[in-house]
């Protein structure tokens, strides 16, 4: 008689929870998926790859994910993974309501001895101040009848190399038993190392600094881009040159701004948390302000180039190439393109918007239509489809100015075609 599989519940079946559920189901676990979104649940029941990642396509046919519509079905699980969103609100305050409500669902539907792992990105202190009290209020004793850990997700959407299987992790818990249970679980499903942290706060802090590191480095080159624009220096070439140094330099690239669910969000977790100790993360705040200024800076570049041809934004037909925050995915979260579009509309621009991954957000059918209808073009997402377009198409359609918000087009070639080109810092 084969040994009964251990049951794992994944709460939150998005770009983090769903790949983890699939991966665990390929190992010696029976997986139960729980999510508030009925559409997601029915698509999973139909065996659909709801995140669209290619490596999931290979794994999906081999697995079965039990969709738990009734939360009491979760009672049979011994391991609970919480992978719900942790966005910030319009004032950039962390919204932990999803983590709280997921914790309540688990605390109501578990049995003694369960392991609860929060994967969502949270600031240091959340497991102690938000998650742990939820379980204690339900009568569970952390370290005895429930074990609570944090193993921050590191999913990189659209990345063909690094994915839930092979990305190393860190893990922290309130006690040694909880830590061991957590490391054992992740080592049983990952082809990657799991570094045990000394405290749960260390694990919470690790993820926050990973992404804050990226945000401040992008802000660094964005500030350089503005300065070098005034000096007539091509910042992209300068960074390429600096990157020939084989140590102690890590290239980042200026752009129309920083979008996504992680990089522009996570630093605010630290900024807000530190305020409780009257500490001001000035450096992180300044980096956020620089990155948040880039959509407007992109418009200033457009206005300067329109002036060169005696035009203004008002009344000009402007092609917008890309709305997604990242290449070759259709994701609008914190997308800088949305801020550029909003401001251009306020200035009276007539926008022809096309994103191949976001047809609902496009107001023209395809790339050809954008070029036919537009006098100037602003590229805001470096989708491969845009990079593969022969540049002569811009000239043949009479495009007079190209603003390259991702510095991804061939500046020299475009200028040789008689088109005015401006990138971010080049
Ligand atoms: N961006 C720049 N310049 C850069 C890099 C990115 O302007 O040099 C912009 C992008 O256009 C995008 C935003 O920043 O709008 C975020 O880009 P990203 O490549 O960081 O993409 P994300 O948001 O998917 O970040 C994920 C993160 N993964 C997790 O949080 C688990 C991040 O930690 C990874 O470092 C990142 O992928 C990655 O390495 O690609």
């Amino acid at each position: 008689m084969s040994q009964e599989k251990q049951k794992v519940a994944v709460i939150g079946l998005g770009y983090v929870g769903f790949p983890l559920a699939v991966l665990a189901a390929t190992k010696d676990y029976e997986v139960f998926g729980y999510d508030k979104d009925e559409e997601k649940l029915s698509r999973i029941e139909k065996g659909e790859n709801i995140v669209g990642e290619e490596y999931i396509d290979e794994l999906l046919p081999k697995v079965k994910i039990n969709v738990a519509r009734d939360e009491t079905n979760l009672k049979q699980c011994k391991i609970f993974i919480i992978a719900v969103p942790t966005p910030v609100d319009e004032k950039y305050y962390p919204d932990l309501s999803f983590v709280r409500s997921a914790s309540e669902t688990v605390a109501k539907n578990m049995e003694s001895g369960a392991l609860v792992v929060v994967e969502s990105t949270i600031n240091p202190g959340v497991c102690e101040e938000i998650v742990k009290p939820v379980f204690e209020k339900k009568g569970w004793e952390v370290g005895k009848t429930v074990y609570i850990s944090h193993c921050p997700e590191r999913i990189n959407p659209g990345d063909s190399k690094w994915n839930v299987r092979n990305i190393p992790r860190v893990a922290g818990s309130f006690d040694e038993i909880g830590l061991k249970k957590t490391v054992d679980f992740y080592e049983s499903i990952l082809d990657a190392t799991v570094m045990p942290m000394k405290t749960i706060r260390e694990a919470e802090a690790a993820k926050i600094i990973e992404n804050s590191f990226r945000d401040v480095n992008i802000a660094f080159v964005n500030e350089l881009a503005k300065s070098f624009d005034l000096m007539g220096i091509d910042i992209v070439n300068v960074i390429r040159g600096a990157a020939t140094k084989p140590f102690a330099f890590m290239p980042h690239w200026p752009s129309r701004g920083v979008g996504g669910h992680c990089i522009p969000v996570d630093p605010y977790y630290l900024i807000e948390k530190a305020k409780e100790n009257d500490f001001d993360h000035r450096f992180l705040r300044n980096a956020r302000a620089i990155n948040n200024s880039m959509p407007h800076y992109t418009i200033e570049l457009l206005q300067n180039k329109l002036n060169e041809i005696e035009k203004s934004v008002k009344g000009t037909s402007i092609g917008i190439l890309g709305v997604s925050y990242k290449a070759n995915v259709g994701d609008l979260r914190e997308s800088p393109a949305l801020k550029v579009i909003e401001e251009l509309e306020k200035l009276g621009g007539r926008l022809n918007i096309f994103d191949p991954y976001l047809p609902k957000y496009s107001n023209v059918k395809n790339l050809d239509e954008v070029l036919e209808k537009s006098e100037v073009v602003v590229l805001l997402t470096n989708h491969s489809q845009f990079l593969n377009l022969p540049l002569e198409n811009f000239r043949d359609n009479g495009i007079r100015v190209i603003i390259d918000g991702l510095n991804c087009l061939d500046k020299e070639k475009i200028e040789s075609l008689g088109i005015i080109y401006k990138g971010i810092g080049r």
Side-chain angles (χ1 to χ4, degrees):
M1 155 95 145
S2 67
Q3 195 194 356
E4 199 183 294
K5 289 186 172 186
Q6 200 170 37
K7 295 180 172 61
V8 177
V10 180
I11 317 292
L13 298 167
Y15 72 91
V16 173
F18 182 68
L20 188 93
V22 170
L23 181 65
T26 63
K27 306 289 180 181
D28 242 359
Y29 297 98
E30 188 177 357
V31 178
F32 292 78
Y34 181 81
D35 196 295
K36 299 251 193 250
D37 180 343
E38 174 51 41
E39 196 225 335
K40 261 192 195 132
L41 298 181
S42 54
R43 288 180 63 199
I44 290 170
E45 273 174 332
K46 282 185 239 149
E48 276 187 46
N49 174 355
I50 64 170
V51 294
E53 301 283 357
E54 268 171 47
Y55 73 95
I56 295 280
D57 285 331
E58 299 152 31
L59 301 176
L60 213 44
K62 305 172 201 156
V63 302
K64 175 177 179 350
I65 294 177
N66 304 295
V67 165
R69 282 188 177 73
D70 175 351
E71 61 186 53
T72 56
N73 288 345
L74 300 172
K75 272 194 185 309
Q76 53 193 316
C77 296
K78 289 304 279 178
I79 298 174
F80 292 83
I81 310 295
I82 294 177
V84 294
T86 50
V88 287
D89 63 23
E90 62 291 342
K91 290 198 216 67
Y92 299 118
Y93 279 93
D95 172 0
L96 295 163
S97 59
F98 300 101
V99 169
R100 184 179 283 108
S101 92
S103 301
E104 281 157 2
T105 300
V106 174
K108 271 189 305 192
N109 295 285
M110 57 169 267
E111 289 183 349
S112 180
L115 169 65
V116 181
V117 185
V118 178
E119 283 218 359
S120 307
T121 303
I122 49 181
N123 54 269
V126 164
C127 284
E128 277 157 83
E129 294 154 17
I130 303 242
V131 179
K132 188 176 174 188
V134 165
F135 286 88
E136 288 174 333
K137 213 158 55 190
K138 276 276 170 209
W140 299 112
E141 208 180 331
V142 177
K144 289 204 174 29
T145 55
V146 67
Y147 300 93
I148 298 175
S149 302
H150 181 50
C151 182
E153 60 89 4
R154 285 177 167 164
I155 292 290
N156 183 25
D159 190 325
S160 55
K161 178 167 184 278
W162 295 104
N163 59 56
V164 69
R165 264 184 307 203
N166 62 2
I167 296 173
R169 300 288 199 104
V170 299
S173 191
F174 286 111
D175 50 82
E176 282 310 310
I177 300 174
L179 184 60
K180 182 171 182 339
K181 284 174 176 280
T182 308
V183 173
D184 288 353
F185 169 68
Y186 281 93
E187 282 183 344
S188 74
I189 63 170
L190 301 181
D191 303 330
T193 58
V194 182
M195 177 180 166
M197 307 301 277
K198 290 191 184 55
T199 67
I200 200 161
R201 280 184 178 233
E202 282 183 2
E204 293 165 330
K207 172 63 190 285
I208 297 286
I209 73 159
E210 285 164 26
N211 286 351
S212 300
F213 167 86
R214 192 161 173 79
D215 197 48
V216 298
N217 276 281
I218 295 167
F220 171 51
V221 292
N222 279 336
E223 182 174 86
L224 288 176
K226 291 183 173 182
S227 166
F228 285 18
D229 265 342
L230 300 171
M231 295 185 199
I233 297 173
D234 181 329
I235 180 67
V236 174
N237 276 346
V238 171
I239 294 167
R240 285 193 187 121
T244 58
K245 181 177 171 188
F247 52 86
F249 183 82
M250 185 175 177
H252 287 72
W253 308 99
S255 81
R256 53 43 183 130
V258 173
H261 47 280
C262 308
I263 310 303
V265 168
D266 295 357
Y268 288 117
Y269 273 84
L270 205 44
I271 292 166
E272 288 311 313
K273 183 66 189 170
K275 281 180 187 169
E276 293 171 15
N277 307 319
D278 290 333
F279 184 83
D280 176 16
H281 271 287
R282 270 183 317 150
F283 181 52
L284 294 184
R285 280 193 302 108
N286 288 337
R288 287 279 68 243
I290 290 167
N291 288 336
N292 284 342
S293 76
M294 297 313 286
H296 178 71
Y297 183 66
T298 303
I299 289 171
E300 286 176 342
L301 297 177
L302 173 65
Q303 287 170 317
N304 295 342
K305 291 305 174 189
L306 284 173
N307 290 345
E308 282 180 28
I309 56 173
E310 277 131 40
K311 291 184 79 65
S312 65
V313 169
K314 189 173 171 56
T316 298
S317 179
I318 303 169
I320 299 290
L321 299 188
V323 190
S324 180
Y325 85 90
K326 190 177 189 179
N328 305 325
V329 290
D331 193 329
L332 284 173
R333 280 171 294 186
E334 304 292 322
S335 177
L338 295 175
K339 298 179 177 78
V340 173
I341 288 167
E342 185 185 352
E343 191 172 338
L344 285 178
E345 281 172 342
K346 278 193 194 129
L347 290 169
R350 299 200 328 266
L351 306 189
N352 308 305
I353 301 168
F354 176 64
D355 187 312
Y357 293 85
L358 293 163
K360 286 195 211 113
Y361 217 89
S362 308
N363 65 4
V364 293
K365 285 188 302 302
N366 54 46
L367 198 41
D368 290 342
E369 195 179 337
V370 175
L371 300 185
E372 280 154 24
K373 288 187 169 176
S374 305
E375 299 162 88
V376 302
V377 160
V378 181
L379 184 143
L380 297 173
T381 313
N382 44 335
H383 290 316
S384 305
Q385 183 184 356
F386 301 153
L387 308 190
N388 299 334
L389 180 75
L391 294 171
E392 287 75 9
N393 291 37
F394 289 100
R395 175 203 54 201
D396 298 346
N397 282 281
I399 300 297
R400 301 181 63 190
V401 173
I402 295 178
I403 303 295
D404 182 359
L406 275 295
N407 293 327
C408 57
L409 299 176
D410 183 334
K411 170 184 163 87
E412 285 67 32
K413 173 83 188 281
I414 289 171
E415 289 172 338
S416 73
L417 295 170
I419 299 172
I420 296 172
Y421 173 96
K422 187 71 192 73
I424 310 294
R426 71 191 291 245

